[in-house]
Amino acid sequence: MINRQLLQPESIVVIGGSNNVHKPGGAVVRNLLSGGYQGVLRIVNPKEDEVQGIKAFHDAKELPPTDLAILVVAARFCPQYVEMLAAEKQVRAFIIISAGFSEETHEGAQLEQQILSTCEQYGCALIGPNCIGLLTRWHHSVFTKPIPQLTQRGVDFISGSGATAVFILESAVSKGLPFNSVWSVGNGKQIGIETVLEYMDEHFDAERDSLVKLLYIENIADPDKLLFHATSLIRKGCRIAAIKAGSSSAGSRAASSHTGAIASSDSAVEALFRKAGIVRCFSREELTTVGCIFTLPRFSGKNFAIITHAGGPGVMLTDALSKGGMKVPQLSGPVADELKAQLFPGSSVANPIDILATGTPEHLGIAIDYCEQRFDNIDAIMVIFGTPGLVQLYEAYDVLHKKILECRKPIFPILPSVNTAGPEVQEFLSRGHVNFSDEVTLATALTQVMKTPAPADQNVVINGVDVPRIRKIIDGLEEDGYVSPSVVHDLLASAGIPTVPEFVSAEKETVLAFAEKTGFPVVAKVVGPVHKSDVGGVALNIRSKEVLSAEFDRMMQIEDATAVMVQKMIRGTELFIGAKYEPRFGHVVLCGLGGIFVEVLKDVSSGLAPLSYEEAFSMIHSLRGYKIIRGTRGQKGINERKYAEIIVRLSTLLRFATEIKEMDINPLLADEQDVIAVDARIRVEK
C-alpha cells in the first residue's frame, strides 16, 4: 500500500542517523536537510546527543508520534523497531535501507516476512528492505548521490535495484533529464514496481503528474498488473520505457519443440512490452536517452534534417537513422539553393546540412529556420554543435535555446563537447533542456521509440473461431503429451486456420489410394517421432506411386514410427508460427520465417495472447526478414493480411485452450493469395 505518510509525511525519524555522512545513516540525514524537508525531522542514535544540528533521541521509545520511519540499522534489529514504532508511535510508513534479508539468507527472509506481517497488521506502507530509499519533491529519503533536478513534470523513475538506480541517475543527470520522483523498491516485499505503477495510474492527474515513467526491472512479479496499469497510463497520455534485466537465453528451459527451443522468458517480456506499448531498452544510456526523447514534443513523421558543423558525426547519424528505418531526405531545389547562398562557400545543404567548422551562430539559426519554415518534408531537426576548444559556445547555444522554444518541430540538441565546452553545456541544461551527446546512441534509442506500437486492444477476436468445438476436442483428450495429427488438424480447423489436405494411416494401400486421388506430387512424413526431419522422416516431391510405396516402407522402419502422413505437395515462402505457455505471463506467440531458419536465424517476433490484428501486423513488420515477406528483388510478397489473421486465430485458440503448453506450425506455405499450414504439432498438459 502507498499512503500519505509515505508520500507527504509531516514528520520523519531516521533510526540510525549519524554525523558520519560517509555512511548511509548520516547520508540520509544530510540529503533530507539539503533537500529542504519542511516537516519535523527526528533522529535516533544511542551514542550521539546531536546529529547534524538536530537533537537526537537515545531510544526510540522516547519519540513522539511520527509519520515515517527510515531504518538504517542491522537487519536483525528491524523487526522489533517496526513493531514498536507501529504499535506505540503511530508510524504508518517505513523505508528500510538495511540489507541482509531475503536477498541473502533464509533467516533474512523470515525477518522480512515478520516486518511485512507487522506492516499489514497496522496498515503501514513499506519500501524495501535493501534499497536506497525514496526521493520526491517532498522529502529526499535516500542515502545516495547524485540528487537530480526535481520538477513536477520531471520523470518518475522506479527501480528494482538500488545500485543500478544510482548509475542510471548518473547517466540522466549528465544529459539534463529532470525527475519528479525516484522509487527504489529493493526486495519489494510489499511495494514493488507494479504496485507503484498501480498507484500512479489510479491517482493520475493529467494536469499535475509526470507524463514519463522509466523502469528498471529485475523480476516481473505480476505481469497482469504491470500490463494493465502501464497500458492505462499510456492511454492517459504517459510514455513508459523500461529495462528488463535477467532475460537471457540461458534462463530458458529445455523443450522439445522448435517454439520451446527459441521461446524464453525474454520472449514473454518482449511480448508483454509490445502489448502494453512500453519502449524496451537494453542499457542505462539507452533508457535515459529515451527518457530525454520523451521530454521533447511528440511527432509522427520519420523525416529528419541534420544540421552540423562537423561532417563525420552527420554521416554517422545519417547511417544510424537509416538503419533504424528513418529517413534523412535530400534537400534540393530553389529553397535549398536559397539557404546555401546564406552560408559560407563550401557549405552543403543536401542533408546533412553542413555549415562548416567556421559556421557562425547566425548560420545555425538560419539553417534551423529553413528546416522549420521552408522544408515541408522535414518532421524533426537534429543539431550537432561542439567545439575543438578554439571558441566558446555560449552564443551558439543561446540561439539553439531560443529556436527550441520557438519551433513547432522538435529539435534534438547533440552537444558532444561535454568537457571542452562543459560550462556552456551546463548553462544550456540549466535552462531546462536535455543533451544527446552521442548521435548514434540517440538514433538507436529513437528507433526503439518509433517502432514501439500503441497499447493493444485487450478484447479477444473470435471471428469465426469455433470455441465450443475446441473445448470438446481438448476435454476429450485422455493423455498429456503431443496429440495425434488428426487432433492437430481438428484444432486448426476449429480455429479457422487453413491446412493442406492430408491423410494419416499405417496401411500402405490406403495411403497410396489417397495420393492417387489427390494427385502427385505429394509429401510423405513419418508419424511418431517429434523431429521428423532429424530422423529422415520427410520425403518431398514424390511423383509416383512406386516411390511413395518405397518411402512408406522405409519410414515405418524408423524408431517410434506409428504411421505415415501424406499431403499434397504445394510451394511457397516458408513461414512459422508457434506458441509456448510461460507461467504468470500466459501464452507467448511467435512468428517468423519458417523451415530450418527458425532455429538457425532465430528471427522471430513475439506477442502475448490474445492478440489483436494491430499486434499481429506489428510482429510481422518487426522481423529482420520482413523484406522477404513483403517481396524483394522481383519476387512477389506473401498475403500479409492472411498471415496476420492466422496469428490472431491461433492466439484465440490458445485463449480458450490453456491446456496447450507448446505448439508450432512449421512451415506455413505462403504466396500472394494464400497462407496454408503444412505441418504442426501441439503438446497438451491437462
Side-chain angles (χ1 to χ4, degrees):
M1 61 177 296
I2 296 175
N3 55 23
R4 177 197 63 79
Q5 290 88 342
L6 179 65
L7 296 178
Q8 297 179 338
E10 296 177 2
S11 53
I12 298 175
V13 58
V14 181
I15 309 293
S18 72
N19 286 306
N20 187 346
V21 297
H22 299 293
K23 292 186 176 181
V28 170
V29 176
R30 175 202 63 200
N31 288 341
L32 283 164
L33 292 173
S34 62
Y37 173 61
Q38 297 298 304
V40 178
L41 180 58
R42 302 178 176 120
I43 312 294
V44 172
N45 187 314
K47 299 179 181 179
E48 301 281 356
D49 294 328
E50 185 176 284
V51 172
Q52 299 184 44
I54 300 173
K55 184 179 182 299
F57 293 87
H58 289 169
D59 192 326
K61 291 185 177 295
E62 302 170 2
L63 287 168
T66 305
D67 280 346
L68 167 65
I70 304 170
L71 274 58
V72 201
V73 295
R76 66 181 183 276
F77 299 126
C78 288
Q80 61 196 60
Y81 270 119
V82 171
E83 173 68 36
M84 188 276 294
L85 291 169
E88 301 178 22
K89 305 302 178 182
Q90 290 76 56
V91 172
R92 292 297 177 262
F94 291 91
I95 298 174
I96 301 182
I97 304 293
S98 315
F101 292 91
S102 62
E103 79 282 0
E104 291 189 6
T105 64
H106 175 69
E107 291 74 20
Q110 292 179 320
L111 295 176
E112 194 173 284
Q113 183 59 45
Q114 189 177 340
I115 290 169
L116 176 63
S117 298
T118 301
C119 288
E120 297 296 331
Q121 178 184 350
Y122 290 97
C124 304
L126 171 64
I127 293 285
N130 184 32
C131 67
I132 64 171
L134 174 63
L135 176 64
T136 70
R137 289 179 291 115
W138 189 278
H139 61 106
H140 295 186
S141 296
V142 294
F143 70 89
T144 55
K145 288 185 176 181
I147 302 294
Q149 176 189 355
L150 296 171
T151 65
Q152 182 173 337
R153 284 296 191 172
V155 171
D156 287 321
F157 173 41
I158 315 167
S159 177
S161 165
T164 307
V166 171
F167 301 149
I168 289 173
L169 289 174
E170 291 274 6
S171 172
V173 166
S174 67
K175 295 178 177 67
L177 182 63
F179 285 77
N180 176 58
S181 67
V182 176
W183 297 69
S184 165
V185 299
N187 294 354
K189 190 63 179 178
Q190 183 199 71
I191 298 175
I193 290 173
E194 299 93 334
T195 311
V196 179
L197 278 181
E198 178 182 37
Y199 182 88
M200 291 178 175
D201 178 27
E202 293 179 348
H203 296 80
F204 183 73
D205 182 339
E207 299 299 321
R208 174 178 54 85
D209 292 342
S210 168
L211 298 178
V212 179
K213 320 292 180 188
L214 301 183
L215 315 176
Y216 174 79
I217 307 171
E218 292 187 339
N219 176 52
I220 301 178
D222 192 335
D224 286 340
K225 182 183 283 191
L226 178 63
L227 173 62
F228 180 85
H229 292 292
T231 298
S232 177
L233 282 165
I234 292 171
R235 286 182 172 151
K236 290 173 181 176
C238 293
R239 308 180 82 179
I240 302 178
I243 295 173
K244 170 60 178 76
S247 296
S248 66
S249 59
S252 64
R253 298 185 307 276
S256 54
S257 71
H258 290 296
T259 302
I262 59 177
S264 64
S265 58
D266 189 62
S267 302
V269 171
E270 187 76 26
L272 176 65
F273 284 11
R274 182 192 302 278
K275 185 176 281 290
I278 297 172
V279 177
R280 188 173 188 188
C281 300
F282 295 90
S283 71
R284 301 190 305 270
E285 283 297 304
E286 190 174 359
L287 182 68
T288 55
T289 301
V290 169
C292 290
I293 292 171
F294 284 168
T295 67
L296 302 182
R298 294 190 188 220
F299 64 102
S300 56
K302 292 187 176 182
N303 291 339
F304 292 83
I306 300 171
I307 302 172
T308 179
H309 65 171
V315 173
M316 288 191 289
L317 180 55
T318 301
D319 290 343
L321 289 172
S322 299
K323 182 180 179 181
M326 288 161 281
K327 299 177 181 178
V328 183
Q330 183 175 354
L331 303 175
S332 59
V335 176
D337 294 338
E338 186 181 310
L339 170 60
K340 188 170 184 178
Q342 298 187 57
L343 304 176
F344 283 143
S347 298
S348 171
V349 298
N351 200 16
I353 301 170
D354 189 348
I355 64 175
L356 304 179
T358 52
T360 66
E362 181 183 6
H363 292 145
L364 174 62
I366 292 170
I368 292 174
D369 286 341
Y370 268 78
C371 293
E372 165 73 8
Q373 301 167 12
R374 305 293 301 279
F375 294 125
D376 295 333
N377 61 335
I378 295 301
D379 302 306
I381 306 162
M382 294 184 167
V383 175
I384 305 173
F385 213 98
T387 177
L390 301 177
V391 296
Q392 292 185 322
L393 298 179
Y394 290 107
E395 187 178 351
Y397 291 174
D398 188 55
V399 169
L400 186 57
H401 162 71
K402 292 175 181 176
K403 296 302 178 185
I404 289 174
L405 297 181
E406 295 171 359
C407 291
R408 174 183 50 85
K409 297 175 182 177
I411 297 177
F412 294 79
I414 303 168
L415 316 180
S417 304
V418 292
N419 291 316
T420 307
E424 295 100 304
V425 172
Q426 287 303 313
E427 181 180 285
F428 177 80
L429 297 181
S430 71
R431 300 170 91 168
H433 302 299
V434 295
N435 174 33
F436 306 94
S437 60
D438 182 83
E439 60 279 351
V440 175
T441 302
L442 167 60
T444 302
L446 191 59
T447 298
Q448 290 296 101
V449 173
M450 300 294 279
K451 78 176 188 181
T452 301
D457 188 350
Q458 301 296 317
N459 295 326
V460 180
V461 180
I462 301 298
N463 192 25
V465 175
D466 191 341
V467 176
R469 185 182 175 197
I470 289 170
R471 286 310 317 164
K472 183 178 180 181
I473 294 168
I474 294 293
D475 292 339
L477 296 174
E478 296 181 355
E479 295 182 358
D480 289 350
Y482 281 96
V483 301
S484 68
S486 61
V487 173
V488 172
H489 182 274
D490 289 346
L491 284 171
L492 294 183
S494 301
I497 297 173
T499 57
V500 65
E502 65 184 35
F503 180 75
V504 178
S505 177
E507 301 293 331
K508 182 194 293 188
E509 293 306 318
T510 57
V511 168
L512 295 176
F514 176 84
E516 287 187 314
K517 180 181 178 181
T518 302
F520 292 96
V522 296
V523 177
K525 302 176 183 179
V526 68
V527 176
V530 174
H531 293 296
K532 301 176 180 64
S533 58
D534 291 350
V535 295
V538 178
L540 305 176
N541 203 27
I542 299 173
R543 294 183 172 274
S544 70
K545 181 178 179 180
E546 292 72 23
V547 174
L548 178 57
S549 176
E551 288 293 344
F552 180 94
D553 292 339
R554 182 184 65 82
M555 289 183 184
M556 289 301 292
Q557 299 302 313
I558 294 174
E559 186 178 357
D560 297 328
T562 59
V564 171
M565 174 195 294
V566 63
Q567 297 173 320
K568 177 68 178 175
M569 179 79 180
I570 61 174
R571 299 186 182 276
T573 300
E574 291 191 348
L575 303 175
F576 161 83
I577 303 177
K580 181 182 179 183
Y581 183 83
E582 280 287 334
R584 294 182 292 124
F585 286 84
H587 281 102
V588 179
V589 179
L590 306 175
C591 73
L593 294 173
I596 63 171
F597 299 104
V598 175
E599 293 187 33
V600 174
L601 298 181
K602 291 184 171 59
D603 179 20
V604 295
S605 183
S606 58
L608 203 60
L611 293 167
S612 65
Y613 282 97
E614 291 76 13
E615 286 179 279
F617 280 116
S618 173
M619 290 166 63
I620 295 169
H621 294 166
S622 68
L623 293 167
R624 296 193 303 276
Y626 175 63
K627 288 183 179 179
I628 296 174
I629 292 173
R630 190 179 59 193
T632 184
R633 292 194 173 186
Q635 181 179 346
K636 291 183 178 180
I638 71 157
N639 190 322
E640 194 175 314
R641 181 188 61 79
K642 285 196 174 181
Y643 189 25
E645 181 180 331
I646 291 174
I647 293 172
V648 173
R649 287 180 176 275
L650 177 66
S651 79
T652 303
L653 164 65
L654 297 168
R655 170 63 179 80
F656 294 101
T658 55
E659 295 89 344
I660 295 175
K661 301 308 177 187
E662 283 184 39
M663 73 170 294
D664 56 36
I665 307 174
N666 183 31
L668 293 97
L669 289 179
D671 57 24
E672 60 270 25
Q673 274 88 38
D674 295 310
V675 180
I676 299 176
V678 174
D679 196 7
R681 55 189 164 210
I682 296 175
R683 183 172 66 83
V684 169
E685 289 181 14
K686 296 185 68 176

